[in-house]
Amino acid sequence: MERIQKQMEFLFEIDKIKDVFRQSLVVEGKREENDAEHSWHMALVALTIKEYFKGEVDLEKSLKMILIHDLVEIYAGDTPAFGAVRPDKADEELKAAVKIFSLLPEDQKEYFLNLWIEFEECESNEAKFANVCDRYQGFMQNLTSDGHTWKKFNAPLEMVLKRAEVIKKYTPDLYEKYMLPQFLSYKERGIIK
């Protein structure tokens, strides 16, 4: 019974992710996206663009990373991609990861925490692919909101391209054929500085 109780407490606690709002807008700019929607959309991005990834990837493992990667924001809050750099972000998120996953039974705590760390370190193919999906989903939100976060944070082209480096490196066809032309178009329009 204790195992079930811990699992239920975790599931109730992570429901709070629906109340963590991001800077990205959804539905053509009608409202802010929450972290749960972001993770759901990332999962569908993963299912859709896997063919562009250079290398073998265990899709199930990447999907697990996608589902848990932002749970830390329940405690650590969201850091906008193009906003001010938070020097304490990594430490705060690690503390939050330990706290949220400690609600689980020990074996699941270790498994989820290690998955989260693997995503953050971005060294395995699964983590690389999950990070590609994270960055790509944010890019898509900018396209559906006419560059909302690029405009809001006066994002320069260099910063936008740096954010997309993981996509360029691991899904070069997707980057070259679709993303780069979009970046240049938004730069031409003055939305990306």
Side-chain angles (χ1 to χ4, degrees):
M1 186 62 170
E2 182 181 335
R3 181 176 181 84
I4 292 172
Q5 186 61 38
K6 286 183 172 202
Q7 291 166 328
M8 295 308 108
E9 286 174 21
F10 171 76
L11 292 174
F12 282 117
E13 189 69 6
I14 65 167
D15 195 50
K16 293 177 181 175
I17 199 165
K18 296 173 188 172
D19 266 340
V20 178
F21 288 91
R22 305 166 52 80
Q23 298 297 314
S24 301
L25 299 178
V26 297
V27 197
E28 298 176 353
K30 292 180 185 170
R31 63 174 176 81
E32 291 177 332
E33 173 186 52
N34 69 41
D35 270 353
E37 292 167 323
H38 165 65
S39 296
W40 164 82
H41 200 197
M42 270 179 69
L44 285 168
V45 165
L47 294 175
T48 306
I49 69 167
K50 183 179 177 280
E51 67 190 84
Y52 300 104
F53 186 76
K54 298 289 181 192
E56 294 296 316
V57 70
D58 176 347
L59 184 59
E60 182 179 341
K61 187 174 183 184
S62 289
L63 288 170
K64 289 175 183 177
M65 289 180 192
I66 286 167
L67 289 172
I68 68 165
H69 83 287
D70 272 345
L71 291 178
V72 298
E73 293 184 2
I74 292 169
Y75 303 135
D78 178 54
T79 303
F82 301 106
V85 176
R86 280 179 42 196
D88 65 338
K89 179 181 186 271
D91 289 340
E92 290 302 310
E93 287 189 348
L94 179 57
K95 288 178 197 167
V98 170
K99 182 177 177 180
I100 194 85
F101 299 131
S102 290
L103 295 172
L104 287 162
E106 191 62 30
D107 61 320
Q108 289 183 316
K109 170 197 168 188
E110 292 302 315
Y111 179 72
F112 280 51
L113 184 58
N114 288 332
L115 266 181
W116 181 83
I117 291 169
E118 185 176 340
F119 173 86
E120 291 295 313
E121 291 175 346
C122 196
E123 292 178 5
S124 68
N125 278 357
E126 291 71 25
K128 290 171 184 172
F129 183 59
N131 274 275
V132 162
C133 295
D134 188 26
R135 305 292 171 89
Y136 192 77
Q137 194 275 340
F139 162 76
M140 291 180 63
Q141 293 309 110
N142 266 307
L143 295 187
T144 61
S145 64
D146 197 33
H148 172 73
T149 62
W150 295 330
K151 286 188 262 189
K152 182 174 184 171
F153 295 103
N154 294 310
L157 182 61
E158 300 76 37
M159 182 184 277
V160 172
L161 295 178
K162 182 167 178 46
R163 181 101 180 123
E165 279 180 355
V166 71
I167 300 168
K168 181 180 181 180
K169 188 172 184 178
Y170 301 115
T171 56
D173 285 347
L174 185 64
Y175 178 84
E176 294 292 333
K177 293 176 182 174
Y178 189 70
M179 293 181 75
L180 188 56
Q182 294 289 344
F183 291 148
L184 297 177
S185 170
Y186 276 83
K187 169 83 170 112
E188 225 173 83
R189 293 175 51 208
I191 291 172
I192 295 176
K193 304 298 176 206

